[in-house]
Amino acid sequence: MGNESSTVVDDSTPPSVLEARTLEGVATYIKERSVQRVVVMVGAGISTSAGIPDFRSPDTGIYSNLAHLDLTDPEDVFDISFFRENPRPFYALARELAPGQFRPTIAHSFIKLLYDKGLLMKHFSQNIDCLERLAGLPGDMIVEAHGSFATQHCIDCKAEYPEDRMKAAIAKGEVPYCLKCPGLVKPDIVFFGEALPADFFENRDLPGQADLCIVMGTSLTVQPFASLPGLVGEGVPRVLINMERVGGLGSRPDDVVVLGDCDTGVRKLARALGWGQDLEELWESTKPEEVQEQGPPRTREEKLQDEVDRLTEEVDRTLGISTAYEQRVRQHLDRQATDKAKAAGETEGVGGLGHVFPHLARASEER
Ligand code: CNA
């Protein structure tokens, strides 16, 4: 990237392949040239609207919010030597970043849509949040260049560590230790000072075969990932959708730079392609299902009626119990009175109880 990033960016240079250096121009190119080998390269910026902070955005990025972890350099949290000395900051952060708490963004769904339309050659991601998988993109279409939370190992003996224990440790913000040696356990995300997965190097030549490159939500500051857009052939359009200019993109005649958020950018490109509806439907399908269908919300009157019904039932139930109890008492007393009357030579009846239990007497008169 060294040469490119020093090139003066000039968007006014006329394109050589595109009809215009705009998303509409890219849409026309995709349709007219039957583009089928799109490479996508992304970073933390495609997940920020899901609620996962990126590293480097001022104020909202993780690095500017690590004060509570007491680090001299925020990057230490992902440094393997630092982790050996003090794994706690990483596990405090892992609790916030771990998969399972977030929904894919519409930018993730756009990548899935490229795949569904048969246009995607490979998706290169620096993210560890697994949101592209959750959006439905098959694992073999993704190069997780910085690993992911999907597996975990001891950093010393390399033994695998059980997933359920790992999830429990992360949920509690605890540090897990190997079950076979005293070593620390770490998710297989790539730290500074560690090698990238073989998958990255095995697929690294693909950008050179692409007919379109889309870069989104990355500062392109971490190597060797940052070198990927530079491997795209000259004359092949590269699109950058990002909050800021990065990596020298915009320096070639067929680069298209769209400054802004990824979600707005992909919506615009999808509409230009006539895929607007498809994209919204696909994204809608990533919504987590309701635990239970609740039906339409109830009005105040309906809620009030529910409460009245509940109280009525309660009163009926209580009254039912009292009536049964009253009958049992009456039968018992009747028997006692009959026995007493028999013993006193009186005739059978309950009339003699009226002075003791006037309400029973009244009740029997009413019947
Ligand atoms: P970064 O260095 O934090 O850069 C993010 C870039 O995205 C910046 O240029 C931002 O301006 C831009 N950006 C932020 N939000 C948006 C948005 N909504 N729309 C458009 N652009 C936006 O992150 P990188 O990915 O470039 O750095 C590589 C690191 C970040 C990798 O090692 C990742 O593992 C690591 N990371 C990943 C996640 C995740 O998995 N979601 C979160 C935080 C960090």
Side-chain angles (χ1 to χ4, degrees), residues 33-330:
R33 303 286 183 105
S34 304
V35 162
Q36 280 180 330
R37 297 190 311 278
V38 181
V39 285
V40 179
M41 301 162 187
V42 302
I46 69 159
S47 297
T48 51
S49 68
I52 309 175
D54 63 9
F55 275 176
R56 294 175 184 82
S57 282
D59 303 330
T60 55
I62 290 170
Y63 286 158
S64 61
N65 283 285
L66 286 177
H68 64 291
L69 297 179
D70 222 11
L71 301 164
T72 39
D73 180 354
E75 288 198 5
D76 282 350
V77 78
F78 291 102
D79 184 288
I80 192 66
S81 315
F82 183 90
F83 180 80
R84 279 185 182 281
E85 295 297 315
N86 181 9
R88 295 204 169 277
F90 169 73
Y91 276 103
L93 195 62
R95 196 177 180 188
E96 291 170 39
L97 291 183
Q101 321 169 55
F102 307 98
R103 176 190 171 191
T105 66
I106 199 155
H108 291 99
S109 290
F110 179 77
I111 301 158
K112 168 69 162 52
L113 191 58
L114 284 174
Y115 169 74
D116 289 350
K117 301 274 183 192
L119 270 57
L120 186 69
M121 181 158 71
K122 210 57 136 182
H123 173 63
F124 292 85
S125 179
Q126 296 168 91
N127 294 344
I128 51 178
D129 55 29
C130 300
L131 285 185
E132 24 298 86
R133 287 174 190 262
L134 211 58
L137 201 58
D140 62 358
M141 292 306 293
I142 312 169
V143 174
E144 285 167 334
H146 295 169
S148 83
F149 275 100
T151 51
Q152 50 281 321
H153 289 86
C154 169
I155 60 169
D156 289 333
C157 77
K158 311 293 175 207
E160 210 169 314
Y161 189 74
E163 191 183 331
D164 51 345
R165 280 177 177 254
M166 189 66 186
K167 279 189 177 155
I170 287 180
K172 290 188 212 146
E174 285 177 3
V175 177
Y177 286 89
C178 183
L179 302 176
K180 301 199 170 130
C181 80
L184 283 162
V185 173
K186 179 179 86 54
D188 295 336
I189 59 179
V190 180
F191 276 26
F192 295 115
E194 289 189 308
L196 268 58
D199 200 28
F200 176 81
F201 298 101
E202 283 158 14
N203 288 288
R204 204 181 173 185
D205 61 333
L206 290 183
Q209 302 165 28
D211 47 18
L212 176 67
C213 169
I214 301 176
V215 180
M216 295 191 281
T218 171
S219 61
L220 286 180
T221 49
V222 181
Q223 291 290 3
F225 192 97
S227 66
L228 291 178
L231 303 177
V232 174
E234 291 285 340
V236 172
R238 303 183 302 178
V239 180
L240 172 71
I241 306 176
N242 208 47
M243 295 300 230
E244 54 180 347
R245 279 184 189 276
V246 293
L249 281 147
S251 59
R252 295 185 185 175
D254 292 293
D255 284 353
V256 175
V257 177
V258 180
L259 295 181
D261 73 277
C262 299
D263 294 346
T264 307
V266 297
R267 276 194 162 109
K268 198 170 174 203
L269 181 52
R271 276 199 302 272
L273 284 159
W275 302 349
Q277 181 78 11
D278 294 351
L279 178 61
E280 298 298 334
E281 282 172 12
L282 193 56
W283 188 49
E284 191 62 24
S285 72
T286 66
K287 240 187 193 168
E289 277 180 22
E290 294 290 325
V291 179
Q292 204 182 345
E293 199 51 59
Q294 300 288 334
R298 301 182 71 70
T299 64
R300 189 171 170 275
E301 285 69 28
E302 284 170 337
K303 283 184 195 158
L304 202 64
Q305 186 57 50
D306 285 353
E307 187 60 12
V308 168
D309 291 349
R310 192 187 65 75
L311 286 172
T312 309
E313 257 175 46
E314 184 71 8
V315 169
D316 283 352
R317 200 175 62 82
T318 312
L319 281 179
I321 290 169
S322 337
T323 309
Y325 179 71
E326 186 183 300
Q327 276 170 355
R328 269 208 315 279
V329 170
R330 184 183 297 121

